[in-house]
Amino acid sequence: MYLGHTIQALGSLLPSSTRPVDCPGDEASRRSSGLLTMHLTQLNRECLLHLFSFLDKDGRMTLSLTCRQLREVFLDPRLWTLLHFSSPCQLRRDNFVLGPSLRCLSICWFSSRVQQVCNIEDWLKTSFQKDICSKHEKLVSTFLTHVCLMCPNLLSLTLSGCAHITDQDVISVLQCCKRLRRLHLENCVRITDCCLQGVGAHGDSLQEVKVDFCRNITQAGLQSCKVMRPAVRLSAERSADMIPDIQPEERPPLRKSLQKLLQFS
């Protein structure tokens, strides 16, 4: 409805002699009612980009399948300045375009699976849990690799519930997206103090960094980052207060222990 009203309003701004109508025979009746229509493809590129901006990713994709002109609008990088994904599986779809115009990117996965499976330490996962994670654990990391190659002008990055991303994934973004100003990591259990060291080494344009509920961030790492980047607004809700992952020491096999015991007895 909103799209139709917008097109209708744009058509009413055109001179009478230049406004196309669907049925020339009914032009008089349409004039009397004040309603004149125009074809969507008769709008210029700027108007089409504005109209597309009101649609979500699926709506844009559907509209782009109607004709070549609208497909070109869909592929225009200027349309894709903001991208939001509510689950990693959405990264597999072809209903968006990565390009140099991307300014804000957020991947937020609020799911019970994150808490019950993905957030468990790898050495504590059962075979079934590992099988579940294997189907999506590389998705976000691979996507961020493409972002590094195609989106050098990224200004804001939010990653929430992305349990499988690593320090190197974030550091790579910092190295390739030199203009990044805002970095928000939430409930990313594999993020450690190494990521904060990357912020200090490569975050020349950063103005704000949040590492909330990241259990492997320590107070020492936060303090070191503050020293390296005193101008950055750094916050870490609950991160340094959580219990970090501690991998159990590898126990020698019982047989070897008995052999050593007999050897020295």
Side-chain angles (χ1 to χ4, degrees):
M1 180 180 294
Y2 186 85
L3 181 63
H5 289 172
T6 306
I7 298 172
Q8 192 176 81
L10 289 171
S12 65
L13 295 177
L14 297 174
S16 301
S17 59
T18 62
R19 288 184 292 189
V21 294
D22 292 333
C23 301
D26 296 335
E27 183 174 358
S29 60
R30 290 181 180 272
R31 286 182 183 276
S32 61
S33 62
L35 296 176
L36 289 177
T37 61
M38 65 182 301
H39 296 293
L40 182 63
T41 54
Q42 292 175 309
L43 297 173
N44 60 30
R45 176 62 65 88
E46 297 300 325
C47 290
L48 290 174
L49 285 171
H50 181 69
L51 292 178
F52 265 74
S53 69
F54 291 99
L55 304 176
D56 60 13
K57 295 190 290 294
D58 289 333
R60 295 175 183 181
M61 181 64 181
T62 301
L63 193 57
S64 73
L65 298 177
T66 58
C67 69
R68 181 181 299 177
Q69 182 179 349
L70 297 183
R71 179 65 179 174
E72 292 175 354
V73 176
F74 174 83
L75 296 175
D76 194 322
R78 293 176 295 173
L79 179 63
W80 304 97
T81 60
L82 170 66
L83 280 175
H84 171 74
F85 301 93
S86 56
S87 72
C89 66
Q90 294 182 356
L91 303 177
R92 291 194 177 105
R93 301 177 184 175
D94 58 352
N95 60 353
F96 61 90
V97 174
L98 287 179
S101 295
L102 183 63
R103 297 294 186 268
C104 299
L105 170 64
S106 65
I107 305 174
C108 302
W109 193 17
F110 302 106
S111 169
S112 59
R113 181 186 298 179
V114 175
Q115 300 294 335
Q116 298 174 1
V117 180
C118 299
N119 279 2
I120 300 175
E121 296 91 328
D122 287 340
W123 54 87
L124 295 179
K125 290 178 181 176
T126 65
S127 299
F128 177 70
Q129 291 169 332
K130 289 180 179 179
D131 182 63
I132 292 176
C133 290
S134 66
K135 298 176 181 179
H136 63 262
E137 62 183 350
K138 298 296 183 182
L139 271 177
V140 179
S141 296
T142 302
F143 183 80
L144 290 178
T145 300
H146 294 311
V147 171
C148 291
L149 296 175
M150 306 175 67
C151 310
N153 300 314
L154 187 67
L155 300 179
S156 176
L157 174 63
T158 299
L159 301 173
S160 179
C162 300
H164 298 289
I165 64 167
T166 64
D167 296 322
Q168 188 55 51
D169 294 329
V170 178
I171 292 174
S172 296
V173 174
L174 291 172
Q175 291 174 327
C176 297
C177 304
K178 300 291 187 180
R179 299 181 181 181
L180 192 68
R181 298 177 185 174
R182 182 180 182 273
L183 176 63
H184 185 190
L185 306 175
E186 180 182 11
N187 196 21
C188 299
V189 297
R190 294 192 180 186
I191 295 300
T192 70
D193 290 347
C194 292
C195 179
L196 296 179
Q197 294 175 6
V199 168
H202 308 290
D204 296 333
S205 299
L206 281 174
Q207 299 175 358
E208 180 182 4
V209 174
K210 293 183 178 182
V211 282
D212 299 335
F213 299 94
C214 298
R215 67 180 180 231
N216 289 303
I217 294 292
T218 67
Q219 194 63 46
L222 293 171
Q223 188 60 36
S224 176
C225 184
K226 289 179 181 179
V227 172
M228 297 178 69
R229 294 289 177 184
V232 174
R233 297 191 301 274
L234 178 62
S235 64
E237 184 179 354
R238 297 290 300 277
S239 290
D241 300 328
M242 302 177 73
I243 300 176
D245 297 342
I246 302 177
Q247 187 167 0
E249 296 181 0
E250 183 177 357
R251 298 181 179 180
L254 181 60
R255 183 176 180 180
K256 291 184 177 180
S257 299
L258 290 175
Q259 287 177 347
K260 288 184 179 180
L261 180 62
L262 294 174
Q263 181 179 356
F264 292 102
S265 61

